[in-house]
């Protein structure tokens, strides 16, 4: 088979069984778009802004485990994609981003729509390639998918100059079955000696904790995590990125940890004597003040990336390996071990953990006559039976979503944790809905975030992706306002927008259904009505309490046992 | 502490900027960096001299290893090794100083590789301390230009850094 460069790129996507290509055309990729026109296997999704393409493909990847694929043109198309690429990079999401480039003869001459894409993206990709020769194209595509999806996943950029895709130059096409890269060999199996040490430590623990992270989701380790945790009967906490890998409704789950984690999760971490971190990277939102993080604990850390280990916190038993492999090996060892666990200590530990739980740190005022954002998320959880895919933007609404939608399965909670990219939620919801057309998909957002990628409402019209937008409209950049309230004596500098669009009309202008909900009593019926409209995108504008804050909160530079809690007058303890 | 990290890396366009970019993005310091192709032209060898606490050095080597193009690396300071740096110094000379500079260069086993009526270029190799000492021994006024390659090194014994 003789193919042009443009056809080789498209054929390689077909060979990789890519379902959707999220993109936006332009001069440098016209040959490529012509090749797309001539085939049916890969469905192109035309977004309204390249950032939306990357977020949608990223969320497709997060919700399926398959790589997300993007095509953008050179110059402004490429730079528009960068925020999305950085978002995927910080959360370790497998993606292949193909960017057009000016022709090889003019590279470096400040040609029309030229930017050094390989240079610009170097710090925010797992790897990138500039393909200067058509003969390297197929193999580079193979390498891109291989690197993106193996080891610690991440985005890979393939920059393709226009002349390399010239339709008049054809070469024989062979897509490599596999690639071997002498410089890249991800470690899969953990070190047996270390695993044994870890198991000994775990079985002798008196106040143990399981601290699970996004790596369990990325590595498909949910089943192993559950078996491991059930075997040991230890309390389980999760990072924002790990939510769903361990069922939130299970008795052993003590909620999210970190800055807006639960009282019980953070106190348990603080007092714990043995902590096993599984696919979690001791992020600063989790640790708070490093010197005071878990002062009594010995740490075991399972991670596929050696550089995640002992990066911020020195650990005692590092285990480099794929989460499923390592957990399986641990499970076997635990089952065959003759160490007798200190049941008395463990019972005492659980009763302490339950005491912290009894504080009900997430309680809020349920009698308010203004809609509380927590109430909306709780009702959403009930109306969707806890089974929806939830995407989110960034801000207070994101934290309320994480705290009040109890994810029982992995890959259902889709949010930008590492970069915290406002604008992620809506395009992400579209990517998820395309992947899971028969499931409920809701985007929990805020009136500021939603405006950052609002143009994708048009994409939703074109591809009939009937997601539900849950706009927790507090007329503030709530998260910013909260910090200003606590740390800047309520000087709300620029955290308020003087004009906010009429979201109902806006939704209608795009051909969708818009609703505005003002009263707590209307929340439930409105949600039911919206979710009954299976074929429609419904934009639900909930006017929520302007002054609501997210609690608990560990303020910057504070440690886990030093949490700011909602004042008792603010909540009605049930 | 000073560390000498010796890296085998794919000889690809941009490989150098990946390494240099890593150091600047993560705020690690680079004292010197040398790079050249090896006997196998698909590979380059880089030597980075850097400093930092043990934890920082551990992160540096992990982050370098994580670069997809890096094939292998060693921290030479972890075992016994030999190291050399090349230096060229251009010095002003006059009838009175010419002999004196030559004698000094001989003591340090330097070679004079260019002579004019008013200058010498002296070539010298050695460990960095020795080169420092030579420059310090010269009369400040007479030094026109000092050019140093940065150190490179190899572990002692039969083991080597190769594929
Ligand atoms: C407004 C805001 C507030 C936030 N508040 C909080 C908060 O209160 N609590 C909180 O937890 N986070 C919070 N975050 C998110 C935070 O910034 C980090 O994104 C998050 O804590 C990182 O999660 P993680 O440690 O699970 O790591 P991830 O970023 O998910 O990284 C995964 C880790 O697993 C490893 N890994 C990947 N694949 C595998 C595999 N197959 N096997 C083994 N290991 C693997 C990776 O190498 C990496 O080290 C907040 C973010 C925002 C925007
Ligand atoms: C692109 C981008 N710009 C700025 C920020 C900083 N930021 C974090 S949260 C936030 C406010 C979000 O407001 P809104 O979407 O209304 O959510 P709320 O906190 O009110 O729920 C801002 C500005 C960000 N995370 N991303
Ligand atoms: Mg808001």
């Amino acid at each position: 088979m003789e193919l042009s460069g443009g056809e080789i790129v498209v054929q390689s996507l077909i060979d990789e069984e890519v379902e959707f290509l999220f993109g936006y055309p332009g001069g440098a990729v016209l040959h490529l778009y012509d090749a797309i026109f001539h085939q049916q296997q890969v469905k192109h999704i035309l977004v309204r802004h390249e950032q939306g393409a990357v977020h949608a493909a990223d969320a497709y990847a997060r919700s399926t485990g398959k790589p997300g694929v993007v095509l953008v043109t050179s110059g402004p198309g490429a730079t528009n994609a960068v925020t999305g690429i950085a978002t995927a990079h910080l959360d370790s999401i497998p993606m292949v981003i193909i960017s057009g480039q000016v022709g090889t003869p003019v590279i470096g001459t400040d040609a029309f729509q030229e930017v050094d894409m390989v240079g610009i993206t170097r710090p925010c990709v797992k790897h990138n390639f500039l393909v200067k020769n058509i003969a390297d194209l197929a193999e580079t595509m193979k390498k891109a998918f291989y690197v993106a999806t193996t080891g610690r996943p991440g985005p890979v950029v393939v920059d393709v100059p226009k002349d390399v895709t010239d339709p008049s130059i054809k070469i024989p096409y062979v897509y490599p079955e596999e690639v071997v890269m002498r410089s890249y060999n991800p470690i899969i199996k953990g070190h047996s000696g270390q695993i044994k040490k870890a198991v000994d430590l775990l079985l002798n623990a008196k106040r143990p904790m399981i601290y699970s992270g996004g790596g369990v989701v990325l590595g498909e380790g949910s089943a192993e995590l559950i078996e491991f945790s059930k075997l040991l009967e230890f309390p389980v906490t999760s990072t924002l990125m790990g939510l769903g890998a361990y069922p939130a409704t299970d008795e052993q789950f003590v909620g999210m940890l970190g800055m807006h984690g639960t009282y019980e999760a953070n106190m348990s971490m603080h007092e714990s004597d043995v902590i096993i971190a599984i696919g979690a990277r001791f992020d600063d939102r989790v640790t708070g003040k490093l010197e005071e993080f878990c002062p009594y604990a010995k740490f075991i850390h399972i991670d596929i990336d050696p550089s995640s280990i002992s990066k911020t916190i020195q650990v005692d038993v590092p285990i480099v390996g794929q989460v499923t492999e390592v957990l399986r090996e641990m499970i076997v060892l635990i089952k065959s071990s003759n160490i007798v666990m200190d049941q008395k200590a463990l019972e005492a530990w659980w009763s302490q953990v339950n005491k912290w739980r009894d504080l009900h740190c997430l309680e809020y005022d349920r009698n308010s006559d203004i809609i509380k954002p927590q109430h909306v998320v709780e009702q959403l959880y009930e109306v969707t039976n806890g089974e929806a895919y939830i995407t989110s933007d960034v801000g207070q609404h994101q934290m309320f979503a994480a705290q009040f939608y109890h994810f029982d399965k992995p890959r259902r909670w889709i949010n930008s944790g590492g970069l915290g990219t406002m604008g992620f939620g809506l395009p992400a919801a579209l990517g998820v809905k395309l992947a899971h057309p028969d499931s409920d998909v809701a985007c929990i957002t805020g009136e500021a975030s939603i405006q950052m990628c609002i143009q994708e409402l048009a994409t939703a019209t074109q591809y009939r992706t009937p997601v539900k937008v849950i706009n927790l409209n507090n007329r503030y950049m709530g998260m910013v306002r909260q910090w200003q309230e606590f740390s800047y004596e309520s000087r709300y500098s620029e955290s308020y927008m003087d004009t906010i669009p009429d979201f109902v009309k806006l939704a209608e202008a795009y051909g969708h259904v818009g609703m505005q909900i003002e009263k707590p009593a209307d929340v439930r019926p409105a949600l039911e009505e919206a979710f009954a409209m299976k074929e429609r995108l419904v934009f639900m504008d909930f006017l929520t309490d302007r002054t609501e804050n997210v609690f608990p909160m560990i303020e910057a530079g504070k440690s886990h046992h030093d949490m700011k809690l909602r004042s008792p007058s603010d909540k009605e303890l049930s | 502490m000073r560390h000498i990290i010796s890296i085998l890396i794919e000889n690809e366009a941009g490989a150098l900027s990946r390494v240099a970019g890593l150091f600047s993005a993560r705020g690690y310091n680079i004292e010197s960096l040398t790079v050249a192709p090896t006997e196998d032209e698909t590979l380059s060898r880089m030597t980075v001299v850097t400093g930092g606490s043990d934890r920082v050095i551990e992160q540096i080597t992990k982050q370098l290893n994580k670069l997809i193009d890096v094939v292998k690396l060693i921290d030479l300071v972890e075992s016994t090794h030999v190291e050399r740096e090349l230096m060229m110094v251009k010095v002003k000379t006059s009838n009175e100083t010419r002999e004196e500079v030559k004698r000094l260069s001989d003591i340090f086993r330097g070679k004079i590789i260019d002579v004019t009526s008013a200058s010498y270029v002296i070539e010298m190799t050695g460990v960095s301390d020795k080169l420092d000492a030579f420059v310090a021994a010269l009369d400040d006024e007479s030094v026109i230009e000092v050019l140093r390659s940065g150190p490179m090194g190899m572990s002692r014994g039969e083991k080597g850094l190769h594929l």
Side-chain angles (χ1 to χ4, degrees):
Chain A
M1 189 166 43
E2 296 241 312
L3 296 180
S4 70
E7 290 164 340
I8 289 174
V9 172
V10 175
Q11 188 57 45
S12 68
L13 300 183
I14 295 171
D15 289 340
E16 289 287 345
E17 294 172 16
V18 172
E19 261 181 297
F20 297 106
L21 174 60
F22 298 85
Y24 207 97
V29 287
L30 284 177
H31 298 327
L32 267 160
Y33 270 88
D34 201 47
I36 289 168
F37 192 80
H38 285 102
Q39 57 81 49
Q40 265 84 46
Q41 285 101 314
V42 181
K43 185 154 170 40
H44 183 273
I45 304 295
L46 177 66
V47 294
R48 298 301 184 265
H49 185 299
E50 288 86 353
Q51 183 183 344
V54 188
H55 291 331
D58 167 326
Y60 170 89
R62 291 179 201 238
S63 73
T64 62
K66 294 187 263 181
V69 189
V70 173
L71 174 59
V72 295
T73 192
S74 68
T79 52
N80 270 352
V82 171
T83 299
I85 296 170
T87 302
H89 181 60
L90 272 191
D91 291 342
S92 305
I93 306 304
M95 297 193 66
V96 173
I97 299 97
I98 303 155
S99 52
Q101 183 54 277
V102 300
T104 49
V106 295
I107 286 182
T109 65
D110 302 322
F112 177 61
Q113 297 197 325
E114 177 180 5
V115 294
D116 173 10
M117 185 59 168
V118 166
I120 285 181
T121 58
R122 193 184 305 116
C124 61
V125 290
K126 181 166 175 187
H127 196 54
N128 57 20
F129 298 94
L130 169 64
V131 189
K132 284 190 167 168
N133 190 333
I134 183 175
D136 299 331
L137 204 45
E139 189 180 322
T140 305
M141 290 300 292
K142 181 75 196 179
K143 279 186 183 166
F145 278 94
Y146 171 62
V147 170
T149 54
T150 51
R152 178 176 182 171
V156 176
V157 165
V158 184
D159 200 31
V160 188
K162 186 164 185 182
D163 55 326
V164 174
T165 60
D166 186 340
S168 68
I169 302 167
K170 299 201 178 213
I171 61 164
Y173 171 79
V174 196
Y175 197 62
E177 292 271 308
E178 55 180 335
V179 276
V180 183
M181 293 169 75
R182 63 183 173 186
S183 62
Y184 175 68
N185 299 295
I187 298 160
I188 303 295
K189 230 181 128 331
H191 186 283
S192 298
Q194 292 291 89
I195 293 179
K196 184 164 178 314
K197 249 202 225 163
V199 168
D200 284 355
L201 203 53
L202 287 167
L203 294 177
N204 286 306
K206 298 190 188 323
R207 300 185 309 279
M209 282 296 289
I210 297 170
Y211 153 37
S212 149
V216 182
V217 178
L218 295 165
E220 305 288 354
S222 182
E224 285 79 4
L225 173 67
I226 295 170
E227 188 182 351
F228 173 81
S229 310
K230 285 284 153 200
L231 200 58
L232 291 171
E233 298 181 336
F234 293 169
V236 183
T237 181
S238 166
T239 66
L240 182 72
M241 300 315 292
L243 294 177
Y246 192 88
T249 52
D250 185 86
E251 193 52 31
Q252 271 169 255
F253 190 66
V254 296
M256 181 170 84
L257 81 168
M259 181 174 274
H260 293 297
T262 63
Y263 184 70
E264 50 271 34
N266 287 334
M267 288 304 288
S268 307
M269 287 293 285
H270 190 77
E271 297 294 333
S272 175
D273 69 340
V274 175
I275 296 173
I276 178 165
I278 311 176
R281 59 184 173 83
F282 294 86
D283 183 81
D284 54 79
R285 303 271 121 163
V286 163
T287 58
K289 190 174 181 183
L290 283 173
E291 302 76 51
E292 287 172 24
F293 178 64
C294 305
Y296 316 110
K298 281 207 158 28
F299 288 105
I300 301 160
H301 189 183
I302 305 173
D303 204 291
I304 202 159
D305 177 359
S307 77
S308 279
I309 296 178
S310 296
K311 181 167 60 179
T312 57
I313 293 286
Q314 201 69 29
V315 304
D316 303 279
V317 187
I319 304 170
V320 177
Q322 150 71 15
V323 55
T324 47
E325 300 277 327
V326 177
L327 284 182
R328 271 185 221 135
E329 214 173 314
M330 285 190 168
I331 290 167
V332 172
L333 279 184
I334 293 168
K335 284 185 176 162
S336 64
S337 169
N338 46 23
I339 299 177
V340 185
M341 289 165 78
D342 187 344
Q343 290 305 338
K344 250 187 142 161
L346 292 172
E347 267 165 41
W349 177 231
W350 263 116
S351 83
Q352 174 62 65
V353 171
N354 286 328
K355 265 191 210 132
W356 288 320
R357 242 182 198 164
D358 288 342
L359 199 80
H360 299 288
C361 65
L362 296 178
E363 259 324 310
Y364 62 94
D365 177 7
R366 290 168 186 281
N367 301 321
S368 164
D369 45 15
I370 309 168
I371 298 177
K372 289 282 181 182
Q374 299 95 324
H375 175 64
V376 179
V377 180
E378 274 183 340
Q379 294 301 312
L380 175 69
Y381 175 71
E382 285 179 19
V383 169
T384 55
N385 299 315
E387 282 171 359
Y389 287 84
I390 304 291
T391 71
S392 116
D393 268 301
V394 174
Q396 291 182 324
H397 60 272
Q398 177 187 23
M399 294 298 109
F400 292 132
Q403 292 175 336
F404 289 88
Y405 202 99
H406 311 291
F407 295 93
D408 279 342
K409 288 186 191 142
R411 301 200 177 282
R412 298 286 166 127
W413 166 235
I414 314 283
N415 83 131
S416 165
L419 199 67
T421 309
M422 291 169 69
F424 178 80
L426 177 60
L430 306 187
V432 175
K433 187 69 184 174
L434 286 164
H436 308 277
D438 300 327
S439 302
D440 284 331
V441 179
C443 164
I444 298 182
T445 183
E447 80 295 336
S449 291
I450 190 70
Q451 294 188 67
M452 286 216 179
C453 274
I454 192 99
Q455 72 286 346
E456 301 310 331
L457 282 175
T459 312
T461 319
Q462 180 169 348
Y463 298 98
R464 299 197 175 77
T465 41
V467 302
K468 308 295 179 258
V469 178
I470 312 293
N471 189 31
L472 301 180
N473 185 350
N474 52 8
R475 281 84 76 213
Y476 267 117
M477 296 174 198
M479 183 59 88
V480 176
R481 192 202 52 73
Q482 175 168 347
W483 283 59
Q484 290 172 334
E485 179 183 331
F486 294 163
S487 307
Y488 300 89
E489 297 171 323
S490 300
R491 288 185 297 278
Y492 297 144
S493 178
E494 306 295 326
S495 53
Y496 169 78
M497 290 177 189
D498 263 331
T499 58
I500 293 172
D502 179 334
F503 287 112
V504 174
K505 281 196 189 139
L506 187 68
E508 287 168 359
Y510 280 108
H512 303 305
V513 179
M515 288 182 180
Q516 192 173 62
I517 302 95
E518 286 182 63
K519 291 198 210 79
D522 295 340
V523 169
R524 177 70 174 238
L527 282 167
E528 280 167 356
E529 190 189 338
F531 278 89
M533 287 186 253
K534 293 272 174 220
E535 304 301 321
R536 302 303 300 274
L537 184 152
V538 185
F539 193 114
M540 309 187 72
D541 187 24
F542 292 93
L543 298 186
T544 58
D545 189 343
R546 309 191 60 183
T547 59
E548 187 59 34
N549 287 325
V550 183
F551 291 108
M553 178 177 186
I554 302 174
E555 288 182 277
K558 296 263 169 81
S559 77
H560 273 189
H561 64 304
D562 196 2
M563 270 167 280
K564 216 180 171 88
L565 297 170
R566 189 177 298 283
S567 72
S569 60
D570 268 10
K571 64 178 179 183
E572 179 216 47
L573 289 178
S574 44
Chain B
M1 201 182 118
R2 177 173 175 269
H3 287 255
I4 306 171
I5 300 173
S6 195
I7 308 165
L8 265 190
I9 186 165
E10 295 288 352
N11 185 7
E12 306 249 352
L16 173 61
S17 49
R18 288 185 207 280
V19 172
L22 175 92
F23 275 78
S24 63
R26 294 191 181 265
Y28 306 141
N29 75 354
I30 296 188
E31 268 172 41
S32 71
L33 172 71
T34 67
V35 54
T38 63
E39 73 285 3
D40 172 350
E41 66 194 21
T42 65
L43 290 171
S44 291
R45 176 103 174 219
M46 269 183 210
T47 311
V48 184
V49 178
T50 181
S53 65
D54 288 355
R55 289 196 48 194
V56 169
I57 297 297
E58 183 182 329
Q59 265 300 309
I60 291 177
T61 55
K62 284 174 169 178
Q63 293 292 348
L64 282 168
N65 262 316
K66 195 167 148 181
L67 292 177
I68 305 290
D69 282 340
V70 167
V71 183
K72 261 188 191 169
L73 63 81
I74 48 167
D75 182 352
L76 287 173
V77 175
E78 279 180 358
S79 56
T80 57
H81 67 282
V82 286
E83 69 177 86
R84 287 291 179 271
E85 182 173 358
L86 170 67
M87 174 169 74
M88 288 192 227
V89 190
K90 188 180 282 183
V91 281
K92 264 188 244 159
T93 54
S94 61
N95 286 339
E96 298 92 78
T97 59
R98 191 161 293 148
E99 264 316 298
E100 170 63 23
V101 173
K102 168 129 188 13
R103 196 157 351 106
L104 197 60
S105 162
D106 286 346
I107 295 171
F108 280 87
R109 291 178 213 278
K111 250 199 279 177
I112 295 172
I113 56 174
D114 182 61
V115 181
T116 69
S117 59
S119 70
Y120 280 156
V121 173
I122 300 163
E123 170 201 315
M124 191 175 289
T125 59
V127 295
S128 306
D129 285 353
K130 168 181 144 179
L131 306 186
D132 293 345
F134 177 66
V135 175
L138 288 169
D139 171 12
D140 271 355
E141 297 283 292
S142 72
V143 176
I144 300 170
E145 198 178 343
V146 178
L147 179 65
R148 296 173 68 150
S149 64
M152 43 186 210
M154 267 187 185
S155 58
R156 284 183 186 272
E158 57 203 301
K159 279 206 210 130
L161 183 66
H162 48 70
L163 283 182

